[in-house]
Amino acid sequence: MEGFIDVISRNINTVIVILGIVIFTLIIINAFKLSYHRSRIDDVMKRKRKKRTIGSKTWEMNESEEDESVTPEMIRDYEKEFNHTRSLYFMYIQLIPIFPLLGILGTVSGLMSQVVAENIDALYASLNIALGSTWWGLIFAITLKFIVALFPGKIVDDVEIMLDDYYNKFNDALAKKNIVEE
């Protein structure tokens, strides 16, 4: 048991830093993917096409914009891709609380390995390693939580609002029987 505790106390800081960098990178990549999905959904919601007409008397060409049809299937396809990326985002959020727990694990294992130490200098050295793991765990947890709250969270909220608005308009048109045969 003491060998296992020593391995944890010696390597926990490295594990925390590497895991923190990996999760940080995954969150940033995921944020860019979420942003891409938001722009695609926003583009399809605002899609316009130009209608060109020629005056029969003056032969003057006029251009006007009209909405291009957006089908529910098209929106569902985009929403499906977005939901996959959003599920990864939520998984990364769930991993953030691991960092303080790993820090506490490092602190406890560092202190446990030196409880029987009779040398006070060895106890201070292990205390430095133990508290260092808590420090790294808290630094990564706070930083990642701050990044997630600012960037990807806003994108997810924006897309959910856009999709809710589309479905509300669609359902309202169905309820009012605003159905046109094509």
Side-chain angles (χ1 to χ4, degrees), residues 38-53:
R38 177 183 61 186
S39 66
R40 281 182 61 197
I41 291 171
D42 191 40
D43 287 346
V44 80
M45 297 284 191
K46 295 178 180 176
R47 190 177 287 174
K48 304 271 186 194
R49 65 178 170 202
K50 298 228 183 239
K51 181 180 179 183
R52 293 180 179 86
T53 57

Side-chain angles (χ1 to χ4, degrees), residues 159-182:
V159 171
E160 287 175 350
I161 289 169
M162 283 190 293
L163 291 172
D164 284 345
D165 186 48
Y166 171 78
Y167 287 124
N168 287 339
K169 288 177 183 176
F170 186 79
N171 291 334
D172 188 45
L174 283 177
K176 291 180 180 178
K177 298 186 186 231
N178 290 345
I179 301 171
V180 180
E181 293 212 15
E182 296 179 359

Side-chain angles (χ1 to χ4, degrees), residues 40-41 44-45 47 69-83 163 166-167 170 174 182:
R40 281 182 61 197
I41 291 171
V44 80
M45 297 284 191
R47 190 177 287 174
S69 61
V70 177
T71 64
E73 291 81 24
M74 183 186 307
I75 297 298
R76 272 190 232 113
D77 288 342
Y78 286 167
E79 185 179 16
K80 184 178 177 184
E81 293 170 12
F82 169 75
N83 285 339
L163 291 172
Y166 171 78
Y167 287 124
F170 186 79
L174 283 177
E182 296 179 359

